[in-house]
C-alpha cells in the first residue's frame, strides 16, 4: 500500500511506502491527497504526522514521469492541499527530503528530522527548477539568501545546519515517529504559526540580486536552470504568492521539456544504473575494510587519499625509504590543501594522515583486504610487483592494477589465484575525479568485480565496467579526440580556434590546452609502445613537437609558447611552421566553431559505437559517464552518445560520411549505422 494511516490518539500518522525512494508517483500523490481529505473530515484527528517507510523520506517527484504528460493530482495542488488542511501536518524526515519531497514538507506546518537526514532542492541538477512552490515558500521560511543558495546550487543541507537555518523546527534524536507525535502534541498547546503562503518575504540588501546573478552565472557556465531558479526566487520576493507560484510553474514546465533537462535526466539514470550492474545482481562482493597502495607518486598518493577519505586504513608501499617519505609528503600535501580549501577540518586532515603507514616491506600486507598497484607503466615492473603481492597477501585479498594502457591479462599472467585480480583505473587527481573504470580479466571472480563496484560506492565514485583494449573506454576515445584535433590543424584550423570551439561546446579546456597542461610526453611514450606492437598511431605534429622536446607547459612550450612563470598560451611560430610543413596536400574546408566541434565529437561517437560493438563498454550510457566524470565532457550535454542521439543518429552518420570523404575521419562503423537505422542505441535515455 502506498499510503497508510494509523491513529495515535488524536494524532494521525500518515506513512508513505513507495520503494525504493518514495518518489511522488501519480499513485502516491493521489494517496496523499485522499489522506488529506479523509483526515480533514475526521473530527477525532487534531494533527497529522507525515512519515515514510524504507530508507528515505520522499526523495522527490518521480523523474521517470518527466517524459510523460503530467497526470492529476499535480504536485503543486497536493502541496497546497496539505497547506490548507484543517489540521496542522508535521513532516517527520529521515534520509533525504529532496525536490518535491522537500516541497511537500514546506506545505506542512512543521518539519522535524533525525540528525542524519538532509533536505534540499536539487532540481537544477536535473536541468529544471522546483515546480511545486519550493522557490516561493522557501524564502518565506528561511530568507532569500538561504533560498537562493539552495535552489541555485541544488546542494542538500544536513539536519543540524537545516535546524540552524530555520529549515526544520527540531532535530529528533531517538524514535522519529514517536518524537514527531510528541512534537505535534506540544505544538497543539501553542498558537500555530502561519502557513508559509501567508508569511512575507524579508527584504534583501540593495544590489543583492545583481551580485547573486553574477555569482550564479559564473558557476552555472552554460547551464540554464540555475539562473532560472534565481529568477523564480526573485519573483517570489517581488510579487504576491499566487503570481510567483504561476511564474515558477511556467518556468518549471518550460525547462522540463528542454534539451538540457533531457540530457541531465539521462545522466541521472545512467549514474543510478552504473552503481548496480544487472550482471552482478545477487553477487556478494568480497569485503574491503583495509587497503594498501603500491607507489606513492601523484597517482598512488591520490588513490591512497581517496581510500583514506572513505575511512579505510591505508598502507603505502614504496621501493626505498626516500620514496616512502616522498609518498607521505605527497599525501600530506593533498590533505593540507583540502584543509586549506575548507573541504575538511585540520583535525580531519591530521586524522587522515594518522591512518596511513608508509613501508618498504611487502610483509606488512599480509592482512590487507585490497591492494592497488600504481607504479610506473612498465609491464615487467608491474609483473614483479604482483608476483611479490601474490606471495605476501592473503588468498582472499583483492589485487588491483591502476594501469591506464597496459593489458591487465598480461600483468596478471602467472600469479597465484588470479580470480582475485582486476583493473581499477582511477583518473588524476584520484582523490577528486569521480570516474573509476573497473576492468575484469577473464579470470576475475564476479565477487571481486562486485567488490570493485562496492569500492566505488565507498569512495563516492562512479564505476564503469570496461573491457580490455588499448586505453579501455576513456583513453581509447581520447586518442580519437587528439587525432581529430591534429587533422583539424592539418586542414587549416589553428590550435586557438580548435580550443575555443571545444570550450564553446562546453568543455573546460580545448584539446591542445589540455595536452600542454598534462604534458605531451606520456602520450608520446604510449605511441612508441604502440608502434613497437606494429600499430600506426596518428600524431604527425605531436610527434615532431616531442622530437624537439616541446612537452607542454613544463618544458616552456608545447602546442603553445609560454613565457617563464606565466601559463598564458601564446601562438608559437615554431608550431605554425611544423603544421604548415605537415599540412601539404590536405583539404582546407572552411572551419567555423560548430564544424570544428563536429569534426572532433562525431568521430568520438563513432569510436564509442565501436567500443559498444566489441563489448569494451556494455552500455552507451556508460561511455557518457566515462567522458563526463573522467574528461570534463559537459554534463548538461549528456555525454557524447546522448549528444549524438539528441542530434539524430542519421545526421551524425551523414556528417561522418562527409568528413570521411575528405579524409578527415573514419566512416561510421556498422553498429552506428545500425543504431541510426533503429533510432538509437539500445539503452536510449528514458
Ligand atoms: C523534483 O522533485 C521536481 C519537483 O520540484 C517538481 C515536481 C512538479 N525519481 O540513488 P539510488 C531511483 S525533481 C525516480 O541508488 P541511494 C534510482 O534511479 C527530483 N527514481 O539510492 C534508483 O533506481 P534503480 C528531485 C528515482 O540510496 C533507485 O531509486 N529529487 C528518484 O543511493 C535508488 O536510487 C532528486 O533529484 C526519483 N526522484 O540515494 C533526488 N530518485 O534501482 C534524486 C532515485 O532502478 N535521488 N530514484 O537504479 C537521489 O539523490 C538519491 O536517489 C537518494 C537515495 C539520495 C534519494
Amino acid at each position: 500500500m502506498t499510503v497508510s494511516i494509523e491513529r495515535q490518539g488524536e494524532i494521525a500518522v500518515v506513512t508513505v511506502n513507495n520503494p525504493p525512494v518514495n518518489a511522488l508517483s501519480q499513485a502516491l500523490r493521489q494517496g496523499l491527497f485522499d489522506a488529506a481529505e479523509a483526515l480533514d473530515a475526521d473530527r477525532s484527528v487534531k494533527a497529522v504526522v507525515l512519515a515514510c517507510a524504507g530508507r528515505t523520506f520522499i526523495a522527490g517527484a518521480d523523474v521517470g514521469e518527466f517524459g510523460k504528460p503530467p497526470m492529476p493530482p499535480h504536485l503543486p495542488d497536493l502541496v497546497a492541499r496539505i497547506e490548507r488542511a484543517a489540521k496542522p501536518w508535521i513532516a517527520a524526515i529521515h534520509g533525504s527530503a529532496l525536490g518535491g519531497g522537500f516541497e511537500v514538507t514546506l506545505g506542512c506546518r512543521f518539519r522535524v528530522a533525525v540528525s542524519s537526514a538532509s533536505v534540499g532542492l536539487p532540481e537544477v541538477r536535473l536541468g529544471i527548477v522546483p515546480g511545486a512552490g519550493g522557490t516561493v515558500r522557501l524564502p518565506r521560511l528561511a530568507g532569500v539568501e538561504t533560498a537562493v543558495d539552495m535552489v541555485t546550487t541544488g546542494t542538500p543541507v544536513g539536519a543540524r545546519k537545516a535546524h540552524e537555518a530555520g529549515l526544520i523546527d527540531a532535530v529528533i534524536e531517538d524514535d522519529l515517529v514517536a518524537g514527531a507525535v510528541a512534537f505535534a502534541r506540544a505544538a497543539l498547546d501553542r498558537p500555530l504559526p502561519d502557513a508559509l503562503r501567508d508569511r512575507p518575504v524579508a527584504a534583501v540588501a540593495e544590489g543583492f540580486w545583481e551580485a547573486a546573478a553574477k555569482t550564479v552565472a559564473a558557476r552555472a557556465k552554460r547551464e540554464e536552470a540555475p539562473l532560472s531558479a534565481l529568477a523564480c526566487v526573485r519573483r517570489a520576493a517581488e510579487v504576491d504568492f499566487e503570481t510567483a507560484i504561476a511564474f515558477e510553474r511556467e518556468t518549471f514546465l518550460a525547462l522540463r521539456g528542454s534539451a538540457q533537462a533531457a540530457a541531465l535526466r539521462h545522466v541521472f539514470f545512467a549514474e543510478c544504473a552504473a552503481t548496480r550492474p544487472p550482471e552482478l545482481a545477487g553477487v556478494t562482493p568480497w569485503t574491503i575494510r583495509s587497503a594498501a597502495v603500491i607507489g606513492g607518486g601523484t597517482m598512488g598518493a591520490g588513490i591512497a587519499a581517496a581510500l583514506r577519505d572513505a575511512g579505510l586504513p591505508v598502507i603505502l608501499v614504496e621501493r626505498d625509504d626516500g620514496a616512502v617519505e616522498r609518498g607521505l609528503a605527497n599525501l600530506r600535501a593533498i590533505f593540507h590543501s583540502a584543509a586549506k580549501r575548507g573541504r575538511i577540518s585540520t583535525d580531519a586532515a591530521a586524522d587522515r594522515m594518522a591512518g596511513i603507514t608508509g613501508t618498504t616491506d611487502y610483509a606488512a600486507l599480509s592482512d590487507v583486504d585490497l591492494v592497488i598497484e600504481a607504479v610506473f607503466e612498465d609491464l615487467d615492473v608491474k609483473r614483479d610487483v604482483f608476483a611479490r603481492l601474490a606471495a605476501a597477501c592473503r588468498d582472499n585479498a583483492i589485487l588491483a592494477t591502476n594501469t591506464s594502457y597496459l593489458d591487465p591479462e598480461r600483468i596478471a599472467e602467472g600469479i597465484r589465484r588470479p580470480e582475485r585480480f582486476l583493473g581499477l583505473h582511477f583518473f588524476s587527481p584520484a582523490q577528486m575525479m569521480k570516474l573509476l573504470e573497473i576492468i575484469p580479466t577473464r579470470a576475475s571472480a564476479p565477487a571481486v568485480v562486485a567488490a570493485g563496484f562496492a569500492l566505488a560506492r565507498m569512495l563516492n565514485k562512479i564505476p564503469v565496467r570496461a573491457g580490455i583494449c588499448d586505453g579501455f573506454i576513456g583513453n581509447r576515445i581520447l586518442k580519437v579526440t587528439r587525432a581529430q584535433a591534429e587533422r583539424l590543424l592539418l586542414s587549416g584550423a589553428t590550435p586557438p580556434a580548435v580550443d575555443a570551439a571545444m570550450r564553446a561546446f562546453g568543455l573546460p579546456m580545448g584539446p591542445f590546452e589540455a595536452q600542454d597542461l598534462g604534458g605531451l610526453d606520456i602520450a608520446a611514450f604510449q605511441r612508441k609502445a604502440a608502434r613497437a606492437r606494429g600499430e600506426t598511431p596518428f600524431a604527425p605534429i605531436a610527434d615532431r613537437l616531442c622530437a624537439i622536446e616541446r612537452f607542454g607547459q613544463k618544458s616552456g612550450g608545447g602546442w603553445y609558447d609560454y613565457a617563464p612563470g606565466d601559463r598564458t598560451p601564446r601562438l608559437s611560430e615554431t608550431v605554425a611552421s611544423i603544421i604548415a610543413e605537415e599540412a601539404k596536400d590536405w583539404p582546407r574546408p572552411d572551419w567555423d566553431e560548430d564544424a570544428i566541434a563536429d569534426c572532433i565529437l562525431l568521430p568520438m561517437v563513432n569510436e564509442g559505437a565501436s567500443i559498444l560493438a566489441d563489448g569494451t563498454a556494455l552500455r552507451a550510457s556508460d561511455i557518457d559517464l566515462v567522458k563526463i566524470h573522467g574528461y570534463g565532457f559537459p554534463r548538461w550535454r549528456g555525454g557524447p552518445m546522448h549528444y549524438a542521439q539528441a542530434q539524430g543518429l542519421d545526421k551524425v552518420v551523414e556528417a561522418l560520411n562527409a568528413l570521411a570523404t575528405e579524409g578527415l575521419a573514419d566512416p561510421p562503423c556498422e553498429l552506428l549505422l545500425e543504431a541510426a537505422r533503429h533510432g538509437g542505441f539500445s539503452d536510449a535515455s528514458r
Side-chain angles (χ1 to χ4, degrees), residues 8 72 313 384 494 519 565 611 613 626:
Q8 295 196 15
D384 180 54
T494 62
I611 279 173
V626 166

Side-chain angles (χ1 to χ4, degrees), residues 12 17 46 58 95 131 149 250 285 295 430 498 572 634 646:
N17 188 4
K46 298 276 182 291
I58 301 166
D149 194 43
E250 200 182 301
V498 174
S572 162

Side-chain angles (χ1 to χ4, degrees), residues 20-21 23 55-56 59-64 66 75-76 96 98-101 103 121-123 126 128-132 249 252 268-269 272-273 275-276 457 686:
V21 295
R55 63 190 198 237
T56 180
D62 187 338
V63 181
F66 280 4
L75 192 53
S96 309
L98 296 177
E103 289 174 300
L121 292 170
E123 282 85 345
L126 293 164
I128 53 174
V129 295
R249 186 74 180 162
F252 166 78
F268 169 76
F269 282 118
C272 287
T275 49
R276 279 185 295 275
R457 231 176 138 86
R686 285 186 242 181

